[in-house]
Structure formats: C-alpha cells, structure tokens
Amino acid sequence: MKKCVFAGTFDPPTAGHKTTVEKSLKIFDCVVVALMVNPEKKPFLSVDEREFLLKKMFAEDSRVTVRVFNDCAAVDVLERENTIFYVRGVRDGIDFEYENRNHFASKKLKDDMVTVYIPAEQEEIHVSSSLVRSCVRFKKEYLQYIPAAIREDVEKMLENKRANGELNI
C-alpha cells in the first residue's frame, strides 16, 4: 500500500488543501494529513479546532487520516508514518521555489524521501489560509475559499472568537 504525508498548519483548512488531498488519492492508497504545530506561528484557530475541521472535511473518506504532530520536522513525520512520499501543493513559482528549497534541505536529513508536487487548479491559485485570515481581518467574504463541509463550523468558530475577543489576526 502506498501512503503519503501532506503536512501543513491548515489555519484554516481551505478548498486548495482539500483538492490537494483529493489529487493525492489518485496516486496513493492513503493520505496522512499531518497537522503541524509550529510554536513560532500564532494561529487564529486552535490545534483542536483545526483538527476537528480537517477530520470533518475528510470524514467520508477512510483513506484519509488526520494526525497532529507537535514540534517536529516533516522528515520526522515521514519516519513515524513509515513512508517516503511527501506531498506539497504548489500554486505558483513562488510556492515551487519555497517548497523546492525545503525539499533539498529535507533530503539532507532523509535521503530516500520523495517529494511530490501537486499543482493547484487554476481557479484555486489565489486560495490560501493567509487569504482567508486577511478576509476575516478586513470583514470581507471568505467562505468560497472554505470547503462546503466545514463552512458553518468555521463561521461559528470565528463568531465565538470575535464575541470573546480571541480573534488573533
């Protein structure tokens, strides 16, 4: 069975993330969506919220597993998941250059890893978690960038954070 890891902070999960996983399932038998916790980032959704959203987003597909990883590198996740395949979604040349630099650095730590780049669909090239956070910050429409299965949940989470003064954006 061929398994891959698709890692990210998913703050919040977007339609682009969902598409990347769906495309990965055309190549691999199963995908581990690795929710990475980066202590240097200040997320606007908690780890538990992001994990909930990801699990709900892929609840209908048993080939997708969501796991949380604290304070470790992608190569550590590959080792723990017993796979060499690391999937990266790329929207443009800037993403490719960034991911390629990371690929070469990671190869120094795990020389057998294979990085698979999945290009974004044309209609999703502009979609990112940063875009969603920016739309929320400036009170602009963002729901079209969020998968339908989790839109209401994201709205409720953000409403609760706003009401409690906890919206960190």
Side-chain angles (χ1 to χ4, degrees):
M1 181 166 69
K2 293 278 187 200
K3 173 168 65 169
C4 70
V5 168
F6 175 50
T9 53
F10 306 105
D11 187 36
T14 68
H17 295 133
K18 185 174 188 290
T19 300
T20 299
V21 171
E22 289 168 346
K23 286 181 179 180
S24 297
L25 288 168
K26 293 179 180 188
I27 303 168
F28 300 97
D29 300 313
C30 61
V31 176
V32 174
V33 177
L35 173 54
M36 306 296 281
V37 179
N38 183 343
E40 294 178 16
K41 287 189 173 183
K42 187 175 179 183
F44 89 171
L45 294 176
S46 72
V47 172
D48 290 342
E49 288 169 325
R50 289 178 279 153
E51 180 181 24
F52 169 81
L53 293 169
L54 287 166
K55 285 182 175 180
K56 185 170 183 179
M57 195 161 78
F58 298 111
E60 301 297 316
D61 199 327
S62 62
R63 300 171 298 164
V64 179
T65 305
V66 176
R67 293 205 173 91
V68 176
F69 293 90
N70 291 292
D71 266 348
C72 65
V75 294
D76 300 321
V77 175
L78 293 173
E79 287 293 324
R80 291 176 192 172
E81 291 301 323
N82 195 30
T83 185
I84 60 171
F85 299 106
Y86 187 48
V87 168
R88 306 307 300 147
V90 292
R91 293 168 297 213
D92 56 21
I94 294 168
D95 277 358
F96 178 76
E97 289 298 325
Y98 173 82
E99 295 298 345
N100 221 29
R101 280 192 303 276
N102 284 342
H103 163 77
F104 289 117
S106 295
K107 287 282 284 185
K108 300 278 185 197
L109 303 171
K110 183 171 176 51
D111 67 346
D112 65 338
M113 79 178 285
V114 176
T115 303
V116 178
Y117 299 107
I118 306 279
E121 291 297 318
Q122 185 174 9
E123 63 273 7
E124 293 178 344
I125 286 176
H126 65 291
V127 176
S128 69
S129 295
S130 298
L131 172 65
V132 172
R133 290 191 305 271
S134 183
C135 288
V136 170
R137 178 181 299 118
F138 297 112
K139 297 180 172 87
K140 302 298 181 197
E141 177 55 39
Y142 65 90
L143 290 177
Q144 69 269 25
Y145 308 128
I146 304 291
I150 61 170
R151 282 181 189 151
E152 287 182 25
D153 298 293
V154 171
E155 276 189 301
K156 287 178 187 172
M157 288 174 184
L158 294 176
E159 285 173 23
N160 289 340
K161 287 181 180 298
R162 253 195 204 101
N164 296 327
E166 301 171 351
L167 199 55
N168 298 322
I169 51 174

